[in-house]
Every structure is written in C-alpha cells, then in structure tokens.
Amino acid sequence: MFKTAIVLAVAAIPEGMSIVATLALAYGMLRLAERKVLVKRLAAVETLGGTDVIFTDKTGTLTQNQMAVHTIWLPEGRVEVKPDAAEIEPALLSSDTFQKLLRVAALCNNATYSHTDPDTALGDPLEVALLTFAHTSRFDVPGAHATANRLAEQPFNSDTRLMATVHEHPDGQVWVAVKGAAEEVLRSCTYLEMPPSGPQPLSAEQRAQYLLHAEELARSGLRTLGFAYRLLPDEHQSDWTNELVWLGIVAFLDPPRPEVIPALASCQQAGIRVIMVTGDHPATALTVAHQVGLTTDKEAIAITGAELPSLFSDPDGEGGRLAHTAVFARVSPAQKLDLISLYQQHGHIVAMTGDGVNDAPALKKADIGVAMGLRGTQVASEAAALVLRDDSFASIVAAVEQGRIIFTNIRRFVLYLVSCNLSEILVVTAAGLLGAGLGLLPLQILFLNLLTDVFPALALGVGKGSSRVMQHPPRDPQGPIMRPGDWRLAVAYAALMTVVLLGSYYIARQYYGVAEEVGNNLLFYGLAGAQLLHVFNMAGIATPLRHNDVLRNRYVWLALALCTGLLLLTYFLPLLRNLLGIQPLSTSLLVLILAPAVLVLVLGQLLGWLLHRGQNAEKLRRQPAAQP
C-alpha cells in the first residue's frame, strides 16, 4: 500500500505543466514578433485570446498615415490640389491670402523637411505634409523661419484642439500663427481675410458657411485643419488666440490601409467588436469607417466627446446608444479612459491603441494596451503591453488570432496531461483492486511522466493552430482553462486507456501465460504507446483525423520520434533496463504493446465523433420548432 501510495502521488503530478505553459507563451511571443508585434508581458499573450472589444485610433492605424494636401478652401473659393501637387494654379500662387496661409503652415509647425531629401522628414505626418505642400507652392520655408524669431508656443492638446506660435519679425511686428480643428479656430476668429481690402469682420453667416465647408470636406473622408493669424499690439500679451483673422481650410487625404478591410471582416466573424475612437471630425471618422467596413449602416452617427459626459451619466439611455456606437469622434484621452472603464464594468476584455503621452493612462487601464511603434511616444510604449512596429490594425488582429491559438494550445496540452496522468492513476488503482499486482512501478510512472508531460505536451503547446480559430466567438474571460466538458472528456479518455490496457494485460496473463513482471512491462510500454498516439485525439471532438492540425504539427512528429527512441533505449540499454525493471520480451508480445496504442487512437476518434453528434443533436433539440 505504501508503494501504491507513492506511485499514485507520482502519477497525479503533471511535472511538465509549468514548463510547457511558459514555453508555449514564449513561443507565441516569437511568432508575434515575426508579425511585427512586440509583447512586453508574457501573460498578455494569453489575454489576447479573450479580447472581445478593440478601441482603435483612425490615423495611421486604419489609414496609411501618408498625409497629402487635397483641397484648400479660401475666402476666394475652393481649390483642389492635384495628387502629384506638380502644378499649382497661378491665381492661387498670387493670392495674398494663400501666401499668408502658407506662412502660418510653415511657422506653426514643428516638423523638419528638406525638399532635396524628402525621406529625411521628421515630425507629425500632417505637419510634414504642410511643409511639403509649401515647398511645392514655391514658398520660402527656410526664409520664413529665418526672418521670424519664435517667441512662444501653445502646443496642440485635446482640450483646445489647436496650436499657436508667436513670432517677431525684423521690423518689430509680432505675428501669431494658429492652426487646428476648423470649428475651434473659427470660434476664436473675429475677422475674415478678404483680399484686397484685408481683414473684415466675420459675420455669423460666414462662420456657419465655413463650418459647412469643413463638414462637406470631412464627409469626403478628408482630414481638415483651419488656419488663422493675428498681429499682436504687444509681444507680452498673454491671450494670443482671440480676435484671430480667418484664412481658410486645408483638407488632407489619408487613404485607408488596404489590409484593414479583411482584418475587420475577420474581427466581425470572430465576434470581436471594433470601435473607432479618434480626435478627428465626426464626418471624417464616419467616412473612413464606411470605407474600411467598420460600419455598414449609412445612417450611423458618431458620438462626439461633447456628448459623452451626459451619456456616461446614463449609459442605458437613448436606447443604449453608447453601447451600440461604432465611432467616437473629437474624443479626449480622459474620455478614452472612461470608455474603457465602462466596457470593463460590463465584463468585456478591452484592447486599446494609443500613441501619445496623454494616452498612457488609457493604455495602462486597458486589458491589452497597444502602442504604436512608428509614430508613438516612449511613454505610450512603456505603458502598453504590446507595441506595433508597423502601426497597422491588421497586426492587432494577428495578435488576437495568435492569442486564441495559444490559449487553445494550452487547453489542449492541459487536457492531454490530465487524461494521461489520470489513466496512470486508474491503471494502478484498478490493478490493485483486481489483484493484478502493483501494475506500474514508481520509476516507470516517473519516466512516463517525464516523457509524455514534456515532449508531446510541448509539441501541442507550440502548434500553429487551426485556420478556423477566428471563426468562433471569444472565450468567456471568467471561464476556467478546463471546462466541465473538458473534465468529462479527460475522464472518458483515461477510462478508455485503462480498459484497453487492462484488457491487454489480462490477455497476456491468461492466454500467453506471461509472468507478472512481463505483464508489468507490457503495461508500461502499452501505456507509453497509448499516451503518445493519444496526442492526435487533442485536435477536438469536432475535427476528424484527416483534417487534424495536430497531425500536421511537425513538432508532434519530432516529439513522437524522440520519445520512441527513448523507449527503445529503456529496452536495449542495460542501465535503464535494470533501473525500470524491464524483462526480455518475445516478438510475439509486440502485438500486445502496439494494439492498445492503436485502439486508443481509433476508439478516441470514435468517442469524439459520438460526442460531437450528441452535441449537434442537443443543439437541434433546443432550437425552437419552425412555424408552419
């Protein structure tokens, strides 16, 4: 009984589980690195598999972040810029308003650009596009900077949504250059640049007309900026952004990424909800959302940051509008944080993309923070769990897919280890109850555990997974690794192996007349073979053997070859033979070793088929009867 207790204790412990789990997660990190996704925390790989909501930015994630000036709307009228920007209309070049707008674009700008080497441009893509357009328009950008000493700057932020710089010219004139969201800049404007007479009072009708112009451009999927300037009577005046002179609107084209459309379709098929959260104009955001297939509802309306406070106070109000909206525009980083909290409170696993310093709290709060590696700040990268090296939304989807595969692999090898270890316990217990001796020796079980708990389980842990993994809804984040059905399946597999092996043992003793020691060896090798072939039953009960992705896993075959070699050493190497108590076996007994292994595979497939049919029948039974 003491020996039996030791054997059962050894059999019950899955020695390789922690090793296999760690290596499976680490291998997943390597695969994600190949897909341009850097994982900073090992546990994040598994969490990805349960993600069911993704908050994504628009610019650079759903779009290419390759800004180019597309349209200019001045008081003189609307002018469309050709895609190659090779020719600028002479009338536009001679416009004093246009030259002032180029001056604002050049001075209220922190990017660097050289027309002789455009690839060396540094800074925000939108500001680089402005400098590129200014050079194309033959505006002397270096000369403007040389003659306008920058005295102060008001950086762009999500609250004011505009940027302002103050400059002093050689003649002592102090000039303010302002650019930002058209509605915000217009709100600060008192005058309108009207050539040739100069600034004239800006009427309410004119203000409304320019807001309509901005809306029209945004509905075309263009990103808009308003431009204004002001002459300061006193360089020490603290309030720069009032009584501005309106110059016009510049609209930028940022084409959607072509790989985003299939990536979003994959998310929808996988039951993952994707929500755009951007600081851009609502019409621009909705147009891009329609272009990439984020929403197909032509009547969809974006929720703006100004509406969020009232909606947060009553999330279920207005028919649950907050929970069903796919586009949020003019949203601040603080409001992103509130949105994450709201969805987490409803039990969702949330992934969040971000690139700025102000996004760091939201990236930290999200279950999976995703930082942009190309345009993102160091602060955002430090706060995130994942860093995208290509800033592409498709990489996020690839990461979620890999996370699902890793979790599936973990569930597979846990099921495999539990069923194998349980079979060892049942074999030893049944052998003792039936008076068949000890069944298996402690060292034999320890050897089997080291063999099957490590190599085949590790091969399952690093499998490439099924191509259909994104065709299923996300798993329950609160659910255990082993579901009740998995436990029942593990018991069924263990019982199957036990019955087959004890049947083989009975035949050997009764019909072949082998000694108890030889019968022990047959159990040892038979159980080893059964556990090794049992690995092919881990693809799932709904997967037939011919479509088994475990069968296509080269690491499984390498593991089987290695384990087979080690088992042969236990027979032919005297040291291992003596250690494990192996006796010489006749070739006629080989069938009693191979038959249990093959039977476990065949009967395991049959068991899976029967269980799958039973599940389908239960689903059909639960469906409501069709109405006549």
Side-chain angles (χ1 to χ4, degrees):
M1 290 185 67
F2 179 70
K3 287 183 177 180
T4 303
I6 294 176
V7 171
L8 291 176
V10 172
I13 300 172
E15 292 88 349
M17 186 176 292
S18 58
I19 298 172
V20 173
T22 303
L23 290 177
L25 292 173
Y27 191 70
M29 292 177 66
L30 291 177
R31 283 185 176 166
L32 288 173
E34 294 174 358
R35 302 294 296 269
K36 300 186 182 299
V37 180
L38 300 180
V39 182
K40 295 173 56 184
R41 294 195 292 272
L42 196 62
V45 179
E46 187 271 329
T47 307
L48 276 167
T51 301
D52 60 348
V53 174
I54 299 176
F55 286 111
T56 177
D57 192 11
K58 177 184 73 68
T59 305
T61 307
L62 301 180
T63 62
Q64 298 179 22
N65 203 27
Q66 296 177 356
M67 300 287 184
V69 174
H70 181 277
T71 303
I72 301 172
W73 211 314
L74 301 174
E76 294 97 314
R78 173 175 176 168
V79 178
E80 299 216 356
V81 179
K82 293 182 179 180
D84 58 0
E87 293 291 337
I88 304 296
E89 294 182 12
L92 184 63
L93 290 175
S94 61
S95 167
D96 182 61
T97 307
F98 180 61
Q99 292 300 317
K100 286 181 178 178
L101 187 146
L102 292 177
R103 188 180 181 189
V104 172
L107 295 179
C108 190
N109 197 313
N110 289 324
T112 59
Y113 174 85
S114 172
H115 67 281
T116 58
D117 190 6
D119 293 335
T120 61
L122 293 174
D124 185 278
L126 189 143
E127 293 191 334
V128 171
L130 284 173
L131 293 181
T132 304
F133 180 69
H135 280 291
T136 305
S137 303
R138 298 188 285 278
F139 183 81
D140 186 8
V141 175
H145 280 280
T147 58
N149 179 37
R150 182 181 287 193
L151 301 176
E153 175 186 345
Q154 177 182 308
F156 177 90
N157 65 66
S158 56
D159 294 326
T160 62
R161 296 206 294 274
L162 55 79
M163 173 184 178
T165 55
V166 182
H167 305 267
E168 183 180 18
H169 292 271
D171 59 2
Q173 188 181 63
V174 179
W175 212 71
V176 179
V178 178
K179 74 174 191 296
E183 63 269 26
E184 296 298 331
V185 176
L186 271 169
R187 187 177 290 115
S188 300
C189 287
T190 308
Y191 302 97
L192 173 68
E193 186 74 16
M194 289 294 292
S197 56
Q200 301 293 322
L202 179 64
S203 67
E205 291 77 9
Q206 291 170 324
R207 192 189 307 273
Q209 191 63 41
Y210 276 102
L211 287 174
L212 289 176
H213 294 335
E215 182 81 19
E216 179 182 340
L217 293 169
R219 281 198 299 270
S220 302
L222 302 176
R223 186 173 180 181
T224 59
L225 279 183
F227 289 78
Y229 77 97
R230 181 187 179 187
L231 296 177
L232 282 183
D234 182 0
E235 66 177 275
H236 301 293
Q237 184 172 337
S238 59
D239 190 5
W240 314 330
T241 56
N242 279 332
E243 301 183 5
L244 299 176
V245 181
W246 175 257
L247 291 171
I249 302 171
V250 175
F252 303 82
L253 178 64
D254 185 13
R257 289 177 178 264
E259 71 273 16
V260 166
I261 297 175
L264 283 171
S266 178
C267 284
Q268 292 170 355
Q269 190 176 33
I272 300 172
R273 188 176 174 204
V274 181
I275 301 172
M276 181 194 296
V277 183
T278 179
D280 283 353
H281 193 284
T284 305
L286 279 172
T287 300
V288 173
H290 289 309
Q291 290 174 345
V292 299
L294 179 59
T295 177
T296 56
D297 182 7
K298 297 300 182 182
E299 304 299 323
I301 299 175
I303 291 179
T304 64
E307 300 174 80
L308 281 176
S310 61
L311 291 174
F312 282 140
S313 62
D314 183 17
D316 297 325
E318 298 187 37
R321 180 186 170 203
L322 189 62
H324 296 91
T325 298
V327 179
F328 293 85
R330 296 298 194 212
V331 175
S332 68
Q335 290 171 331
K336 292 180 182 179
L337 190 64
D338 293 335
L339 283 170
I340 292 172
S341 299
L342 178 67
Y343 275 82
Q344 287 177 333
Q345 289 168 10
H346 286 77
H348 296 284
I349 300 295
V350 180
M352 172 77 199
T353 68
D355 56 6
V357 174
N358 293 335
D359 289 330
L363 292 172
K364 200 78 172 177
K365 173 67 175 175
D367 298 285
I368 297 291
V370 184
M372 303 295 110
L374 292 179
R375 71 178 192 272
T377 62
Q378 183 66 28
V379 174
S381 297
E382 290 293 332
L386 271 65
V387 179
L388 303 184
R389 292 189 294 166
D390 58 357
D391 291 7
S392 173
F393 180 81
S395 296
I396 303 175
V397 178
V400 172
E401 180 182 16
Q402 190 61 42
R404 289 191 174 192
I405 290 172
I406 289 170
F407 185 81
T408 301
N409 289 343
I410 291 175
R411 177 170 279 163
R412 280 179 178 175
F413 74 67
V414 171
L415 175 61
Y416 175 74
L417 293 176
V418 170
S419 57
C420 287
N421 284 29
L422 188 56
S423 70
E424 295 166 5
I425 295 173
L426 292 178
V427 165
V428 172
T429 304
L433 292 175
L434 296 174
L438 194 57
L440 293 170
L441 300 174
L443 284 179
Q444 289 176 343
I445 288 190
L446 183 60
F447 183 84
L448 285 177
N449 280 9
L450 292 176
L451 210 65
T452 58
D453 280 14
V454 176
F455 301 113
L458 181 59
L460 287 173
V462 298
K464 292 185 178 180
S466 170
S467 59
R468 300 185 298 274
V469 71
M470 292 296 281
Q471 296 176 7
H472 306 288
R475 64 179 177 85
D476 181 5
Q478 305 300 323
I481 293 178
M482 289 282 286
R483 300 162 295 189
D486 296 324
W487 284 107
R488 291 191 292 269
L489 191 59
V491 172
Y493 282 140
L496 174 63
M497 284 188 274
T498 302
V499 170
V500 169
L501 287 165
L502 289 180
S504 174
Y505 179 83
Y506 176 80
I507 292 172
R509 293 296 303 273
Q510 294 296 320
Y511 295 98
Y512 284 80
V514 301
E516 184 178 324
E517 292 78 8
V518 175
N520 163 270
N521 292 173
L522 293 177
L523 273 180
F524 171 68
Y525 285 116
L527 183 58
Q531 289 183 349
L532 291 180
L533 289 188
H534 177 51
V535 74
F536 295 114
N537 293 326
M538 294 298 104
I541 61 174
T543 307
L545 191 61
R546 65 182 181 275
H547 298 308
N548 196 324
D549 60 280
V550 177
L551 197 66
R552 297 191 297 271
N553 186 344
R554 62 190 179 104
Y555 296 109
V556 167
W557 291 102
L558 290 173
L560 294 183
L562 176 61
C563 291
T564 302
L566 292 174
L567 284 171
L568 291 174
L569 285 179
T570 64
Y571 187 81
F572 292 106
L573 197 64
L575 177 62
L576 288 177
R577 286 184 62 174
N578 295 331
L579 192 64
L580 297 174
I582 303 300
Q583 305 296 321
L585 302 174
S586 64
T587 54
S588 62
L589 296 176
L590 188 62
V591 66
L592 295 178
I593 295 175
L594 297 178
V598 175
L599 274 174
V600 165
L601 175 59
V602 173
L603 295 177
Q605 291 293 308
L606 179 60
L607 175 64
W609 179 74
L610 291 173
L611 290 174
H612 183 53
R613 281 198 62 184
Q615 288 181 358
N616 287 340
E618 181 66 17
K619 288 179 181 177
L620 290 174
R621 188 183 65 82
R622 291 182 178 180
Q623 288 180 356
Q627 296 296 325

